[in-house]
């Protein structure tokens, strides 16, 4: 029987199907790995309950584990606590930025207070452009290339980009 640390290493090779530069472990959606007898249990928390990528992620996780020789696998969909962008690793945030996606603003996901305070005061969160770093950006749509993202444009370099919205 392989160690759960080895299983975590294997799962770190499974890319997110929508943003393949980050893995499912870096996104924090793999919540737990444990052996129960001869069955490997893997708890997966989707980024939101209607995420269309959830079935693909489950399939990719199962394929990776079978490729490594694990025969008995039980995937559990864990909805509580709900996934939050605070679970995204720092390394994944750097990868998102390098890929052209602005990562979630730190500290805005847990309870949304910072975002609400900004909206109530008439201001918006400052989203830095992932390409040039400018903070002179503007939201052009609440939805970007996927429901998890908003569309922004940089007023300095004029490039459009997605912002990974806080949850």
């Amino acid at each position: 029987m392989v160690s759960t640390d080895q299983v975590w290493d294997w799962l770190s090779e499974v890319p997110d199907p929508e943003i393949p530069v980050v893995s499912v472990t870096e996104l924090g959606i793999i919540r737990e790995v444990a052996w129960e007898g001869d069955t490997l249990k893997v708890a997966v928390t989707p980024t939101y309950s209607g995420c269309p990528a959830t079935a693909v992620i489950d399939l990719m996780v199962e394929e990776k584990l079978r490729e490594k020789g694990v025969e008995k696998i039980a995937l559990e969909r864990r909805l509580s606590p709900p996934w939050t962008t605070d679970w995204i690793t720092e390394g994944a945030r750097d990868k998102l930025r390098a890929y052209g996606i602005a990562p979630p603003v730190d500290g805005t996901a847990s309870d949304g207070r910072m975002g609400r305070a900004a909206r109530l005061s008439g201001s918006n969160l400052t989203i830095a452009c992932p390409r040039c770093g400018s903070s002179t950006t503007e939201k052009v749509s609440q939805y970007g290339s996927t429901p998890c993202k908003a569309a922004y444009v940089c007023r300095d370099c004029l490039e459009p980009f997605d912002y990974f919205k806080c949850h």
Side-chain angles (χ1 to χ4, degrees):
M1 184 177 302
V2 299
S3 71
T4 55
D5 287 341
Q6 180 62 63
V7 173
W8 279 103
D9 285 345
W10 293 338
L11 295 177
S12 72
E13 299 170 4
V14 177
D16 176 73
E18 291 180 344
I19 311 169
V21 295
V22 295
S23 74
V24 293
T25 59
E26 290 173 312
L27 282 179
I29 61 176
I30 304 297
R31 300 309 303 162
E32 185 176 0
V33 172
W35 287 101
E36 284 191 13
D38 61 349
T39 301
L40 180 63
K41 295 188 79 173
V42 179
V44 180
T45 298
T47 56
Y48 65 98
S49 60
C51 178
T54 303
V56 175
I57 292 169
D58 287 351
L59 180 64
M60 294 170 74
V61 165
E62 192 168 332
E63 282 179 349
K64 175 57 77 176
L65 295 174
R66 294 207 187 282
E67 169 191 309
K68 298 296 184 180
V70 179
E71 294 179 14
K72 292 185 177 180
I73 303 163
L75 295 178
E76 170 194 351
R77 182 155 305 150
R78 187 176 290 173
L79 300 178
S80 181
W83 180 82
T84 167
T85 47
D86 286 343
W87 296 354
I88 299 174
T89 67
E90 285 305 314
R93 291 168 188 267
D94 292 340
K95 289 179 181 179
L96 289 171
R97 200 173 292 109
Y99 192 60
I101 299 172
V105 173
D106 289 339
T108 58
S110 297
D111 61 11
R113 279 189 227 161
M114 279 182 64
R116 263 194 307 278
R119 285 189 296 277
L120 290 172
S121 68
S123 63
N124 288 318
L125 293 174
T126 300
I127 308 301
C129 174
R131 293 187 172 82
C132 71
S134 169
S135 59
T136 309
T137 61
E138 180 182 350
K139 182 168 47 176
V140 293
S141 174
Q142 182 62 22
Y143 298 99
S145 60
T146 66
C148 296
K149 300 179 208 111
Y152 275 73
V153 65
C154 177
R155 295 292 172 214
D156 285 334
C157 71
L158 303 179
E159 290 290 327
F161 63 93
D162 276 341
Y163 167 61
F164 202 120
K165 295 185 283 192
C166 296
H167 296 48

